[in-house]
Amino acid sequence: SVAWSPDGQTLASASEDHTVKLWRGGTGTLLRTLSGHSDAVNSVAWSPDGQTFASASADGTVKLWQAGTGTLLRTLSGHSETVYSVAWSPDGQTLASAGRDGTVKVWQAGTGTLLRTLSGHSGGISSVAWSPDGHTLASTSNEITLWNSGTGDLESVSASFLGNEWLTINPKNLLYSSSLQGDEHAALRFDNRLRPVFPLSLPRYRIALRRDDVRRHLIEPRPDVKPDLLYLADDIWKGSKPWLGSVALLYSIGVAFTLVLYRRADPAAIARRFFKKAGFRIEQIDPHLLYLSPSDRRPPAYALIWTAQWRLIAEAIARHRSTASERFRVYVIYRDQPPLSDESQHLRKTLGSDVVPLSAKSLDEAIFNKDCAGELGKLERPFVVLTDPYDRSNPADNQVLFYGRHAMLDEMPAALLQGRHTSILGLRRIGKTSVLKQLEDRLSSIPYVSFEVYENDKAEQLFQRILTELHTSLRKHGVKRLPKVKPIASTTPIVPAGAMAALAMMLPSRLFSVERKGCA
């Protein structure tokens, strides 16, 4: 490990020879060698004022040294095994260390007092770091964990998986964020029992627990989630053997029920239903291969049902494409585990096409939600190269695509919460709708209205629609004695022809009518 002093004049290095050495940065002169550790030194870190630096060692200790003289100030003992990393808080008052024993320890730098021990990692911790504001502490092992540095509460745990999938979960309230299929790598268990476990991706849990940004919901109460009895019954059924000598009628019913379940779980059957509803014409080439002809401008595609014989199916695609030169896409439909990265790369290289892995469970859920075309666009987006990042039919939901608008996304909710209205003006296809979508996600628990104005729409028509939809929504929620919606009469256009505006406004919780005075 090496670390520069805050003034950039001195470099500290740590070594397996049990020493820390200080060097003059400008000349490379060795200033002094500090001995005191009894084993390899793994990490060094300077205090923000440059007067002190810390070293962490395989001997299980952290030592604090005076930078000017090399004097050992104190030794921090508390880890039971190797200490891999040490880091100062931005104010220089606190020190964090982490190591092989799977804990993060927070120390008061001035006295060496152990303030708290943070436990929760599944293995040894290789690195620890403070946020610039000092409020959050990050540590990493097999996963990345964020802690509240003031209370020591575990705020979130993040992990990545094959296929560029990821999952971030708040263990306190079970809320999570994930990539499209990242939640398929996690499960819930109840009452501290090892069995049974329930996949986090089950529709009832996904709807109740999934959030776009779990870090914005740290203090939200835990939703009331319970064991999914239908899934449990299905799991028990699959794991049990039919009783010998059972009544013929019950046996027949059981066989019929099993066939129905198998058909519902058959990836090939699910793929046929999904792509038909997504607007494709389907041709069966092989029991495990479908040719998909689009009805719009999308490229033709193949649905490859993933089996151990996938190489033979890929050869069938190559033979079928032997006379065609247009670009195409291959959807790989899998039941349990997605293809490994090297297998996807082999397909991509052999066939010369985009390869998009799709979970049969996700397709079945899209069929249930009756949004196959929209869900297909979301599922394939991470795996398809976009020649134009703005060429998309759905609003962008990835912060990377906002290109410097993060400050605006933080300022606009604050303005709306103060009762101000706001509008977003601009040319077509530059992200106005995407910004509105982000605002809706951040204001999900607050009365809020957003609407878009295209060309010569009249303001009164827009306000009338707001009133009507608000009235309908309140009735659905059981609000009684609602006054009738009164018509609004005016002829003033809100924007000139050819322009587009996206507007947002806060509503009082019991607003049922709008009085509109001269508005242009």
Side-chain angles (χ1 to χ4, degrees), residues 442-463:
R442 298 188 185 195
L443 297 169
S444 58
S445 61
I446 300 171
Y448 165 87
V449 164
S450 67
F451 55 92
E452 295 187 1
V453 183
Y454 293 86
E455 300 183 353
N456 269 335
D457 283 341
K458 304 293 176 62
E460 64 274 7
Q461 297 172 350
L462 296 168
F463 282 110

Side-chain angles (χ1 to χ4, degrees), residues 318-379:
R319 289 193 298 270
H320 192 264
R321 299 296 303 173
S322 59
T323 59
S325 59
E326 58 184 337
R327 63 189 182 93
F328 66 102
R329 190 167 295 164
V330 176
Y331 298 106
V332 177
I333 316 300
Y334 64 92
R335 178 182 294 178
D336 298 315
Q337 295 296 327
L340 299 176
S341 58
D342 56 345
E343 294 170 335
S344 295
Q345 292 290 348
H346 179 83
L347 277 175
R348 186 176 291 107
K349 183 177 180 181
T350 302
L351 300 174
S353 68
D354 289 327
V355 175
V356 181
L358 299 175
S359 165
K361 186 182 300 182
S362 298
L363 303 189
D364 200 20
E365 185 177 333
I367 295 172
F368 177 79
N369 293 328
K370 300 180 180 180
D371 185 25
C372 295
E375 189 66 18
L376 179 61
K378 295 178 183 178
L379 291 172

Side-chain angles (χ1 to χ4, degrees), residues 171-435:
K172 181 174 291 187
N173 59 16
L174 299 184
L175 301 180
Y176 73 95
S177 304
S178 73
S179 56
L180 291 174
Q181 299 170 17
D183 52 6
E184 296 180 5
H185 297 268
L188 295 175
R189 56 188 179 91
F190 294 84
D191 301 324
N192 291 322
R193 298 176 182 174
L194 295 179
R195 297 292 180 200
V197 295
F198 301 85
L200 189 60
S201 57
L202 288 176
R204 68 179 300 175
Y205 298 140
R206 181 174 282 181
I207 293 172
L209 302 177
R210 192 168 187 170
R211 301 291 187 272
D212 287 343
D213 185 354
V214 70
R215 295 285 299 169
R216 295 185 178 274
H217 300 271
L218 293 177
I219 61 175
E220 187 172 320
R222 175 185 295 185
D224 184 20
V225 292
K226 298 178 180 178
D228 190 326
L229 298 181
L230 290 177
Y231 173 84
L232 182 60
D234 182 54
D235 191 54
I236 293 174
W237 170 261
K238 291 178 180 178
S240 63
K241 296 181 179 179
W243 292 356
L244 296 176
S246 58
V247 181
L249 179 59
L250 293 178
Y251 178 79
S252 301
I253 294 174
V255 170
F257 183 63
T258 303
L259 290 175
V260 171
L261 284 180
Y262 177 78
R263 178 169 179 79
R264 288 196 63 189
D266 178 23
I270 292 173
R272 280 192 293 270
R273 294 200 304 272
F274 174 84
F275 286 110
K276 183 178 180 180
K277 292 180 179 295
F280 289 90
R281 296 185 297 274
I282 300 173
E283 176 187 346
Q284 184 91 35
I285 299 176
D286 179 89
H288 298 95
L289 182 62
L290 305 175
Y291 177 64
L292 310 173
S293 301
S295 56
D296 52 20
R297 295 182 179 180
R298 289 177 294 186
Y302 293 86
L304 185 158
I305 311 304
W306 189 251
T307 70
Q309 307 299 321
W310 62 272
R311 294 178 186 272
L312 296 177
I313 306 174
E315 293 175 3
I317 296 177
R319 289 193 298 270
H320 192 264
R321 299 296 303 173
S322 59
T323 59
S325 59
E326 58 184 337
R327 63 189 182 93
F328 66 102
R329 190 167 295 164
V330 176
Y331 298 106
V332 177
I333 316 300
Y334 64 92
R335 178 182 294 178
D336 298 315
Q337 295 296 327
L340 299 176
S341 58
D342 56 345
E343 294 170 335
S344 295
Q345 292 290 348
H346 179 83
L347 277 175
R348 186 176 291 107
K349 183 177 180 181
T350 302
L351 300 174
S353 68
D354 289 327
V355 175
V356 181
L358 299 175
S359 165
K361 186 182 300 182
S362 298
L363 303 189
D364 200 20
E365 185 177 333
I367 295 172
F368 177 79
N369 293 328
K370 300 180 180 180
D371 185 25
C372 295
E375 189 66 18
L376 179 61
K378 295 178 183 178
L379 291 172
E380 70 181 1
R381 189 180 303 165
F383 303 95
V384 176
V385 176
L386 292 178
T387 55
D388 178 5
Y390 298 108
D391 184 17
R392 54 181 69 246
S393 58
N394 297 317
D397 55 9
N398 189 330
Q399 290 280 337
V400 176
L401 295 176
F402 278 83
Y403 298 118
R405 302 178 199 175
H406 305 285
M408 180 174 65
L409 289 176
D410 292 333
E411 292 170 1
M412 289 181 68
L416 291 169
L417 289 171
Q418 294 171 9
R420 296 159 56 189
H421 298 175
T422 184
S423 62
I424 308 168
L425 306 173
L427 301 176
R428 293 181 182 273
R429 303 186 69 80
I430 64 169
K432 297 181 297 300
T433 302
S434 299
V435 173

Side-chain angles (χ1 to χ4, degrees), residues 471-489:
H471 194 276
T472 301
S473 179
L474 290 172
R475 290 193 62 178
K476 288 181 179 178
H477 284 80
V479 178
K480 300 180 180 179
R481 292 180 296 181
L482 288 174
K484 294 182 179 180
V485 177
K486 298 179 180 179
I488 300 171

Side-chain angles (χ1 to χ4, degrees), residues 23-31:
W23 312 80
R24 190 181 303 280
T27 62
T29 304
L30 176 62
L31 299 177

